[in-house]
Amino acid sequence: MKILVTGGTGYIGSHTCVELLNEGYEVVIIDNLYNSKIETVDYIEKITGKKVKFYKDDCCDKEALRKIFKENKIDAVIHFAGYKAVGESVKLPLNYYHNNLGSAIILCEVMKEFNCKNIIFSSSATVYGNSKRVPFKETYKLSTTNPYGTTKMFIERILTDLHISDEDWNVVLLRYFNPIGAHPSGLIGEDPNGIPNNLMPYVVKVATGELECLSIFGNDYPTKDGTGVRDYIHVVDLAVGHVKALEKIQKDNGLFIYNLGTGEGYSVLDIVNTFERVNKVKVNHKFAPRRKGDIATCLADPSKAEKELNFKATRTLEEMCRDAYNYAVKNR
Ligand code: NAD
Ligand code: UFG
């Protein structure tokens, strides 16, 4: 099978390309390199010993997408491309709606034109909004707290409507929890530009001395140590989840929604302490006020993916911390 991976040179996309190639799928990537580097293509090929076809194009460009579908017989699409910074989306909502919704709609139009009706979409735990009932189940009512989250909710809705309009569309909505870590080779990983918004990239930059001190946002949450609790999942496990989703739509037709997480919660202090212990480095940190919009605990109920996809995340927090640091050290 030939899979079109949009956003395939990005953080999660690149790891997914590796797992797809390892499983014998052919991979075509479209990425405009807005938030990734062309070298990633070489690294994917180096890790797997296989070739990928790369198009430096924008998913909002219909003609470019048509060209890709004309030149390649695409069997399914995994749609990662999009903007993802929560804070930025509050300041630049139109950019987020334009890029995230625009690319999803145009992509589906072209898929329909070429009679390719299999799509796996990168959604997020952010669609559970401020829900206080943890762990989150796929059946919970959705709500969002920022434009980024709203784009995810809207695209889920668009793909659902598409499936309702024509049951030949097979759709998998994957709600990721907190992906961290990197490929153990140290060749691909997460390397955000500027000052990171997310915890793990920030911890890494403090450990390597690029940033001075981690601010821990809040130590008065109703959690075991007062700091925020999240469901961290190794990015390689997350990538494997996409292969499982592809297997699912080869077996069964329909619309499917799955959480991809571990079901296990770790606090900010757990992350700092584990990172220090595993990598034998110091992570300077201090407590700071809560970050606006954060919730105390965000945890997946991963049982549906386990039951229906036979997917279970197996990599430990130690591996997540080790691989994140290994990637940073190799790429300084
Ligand atoms: P990323 O920024 O590393 O990857 C996204 C890729 O898409 C980048 O390479 C970027 O250049 C590309 N891109 C953006 N807009 C494009 C466009 N219009 N046309 C072509 N390419 C475009 O992000 P990631 O962490 O790998 O996330 C991948 C997907 O998963 C995103 O949709 C994101 O919203 C979603 N997601 C990520 C997380 C997370 O914590 N990383 C959590 C939940 C969901
Ligand atoms: N945190 C700090 N200091 C920092 C950064 C984060 O203490 O410098 C804390 C946060 O307060 C939170 C935890 O670390 O308690 C995790 O924060 P992240 O920013 O790494 O992740 P979030 O859970 O806030 O958000 C992530 C993605 C969102 C996505 C969400 C759910 O950034 O896009 O997971 O999937 F919607």
Side-chain angles (χ1 to χ4, degrees), residues 204-237:
V204 166
K205 282 193 190 289
V206 174
T208 56
E210 285 165 75
L211 292 170
E212 229 161 71
C213 183
L214 169 75
S215 293
I216 297 182
F217 300 138
N219 60 348
D220 57 353
Y221 283 110
T223 58
K224 62 175 182 175
D225 59 23
T227 66
V229 167
R230 295 290 181 273
D231 186 328
Y232 296 96
I233 175 167
H234 196 295
V235 66
V236 175
D237 277 329

Side-chain angles (χ1 to χ4, degrees), residues 71 112 233 261 308 311 316 329:
E71 291 178 3
K112 190 174 166 200
I233 175 167
E308 295 185 16
F311 169 75
T316 62
V329 170

Side-chain angles (χ1 to χ4, degrees), residues 11 35 37 84 189-198 200-202 204-205 210 327:
Y11 174 47
N35 196 34
K37 297 193 176 76
K84 63 166 184 177
E190 189 176 20
D191 189 13
N193 296 327
I195 296 179
N197 296 306
N198 297 116
M200 183 54 91
Y202 206 108
V204 166
K205 282 193 190 289
E210 285 165 75
Y327 172 72

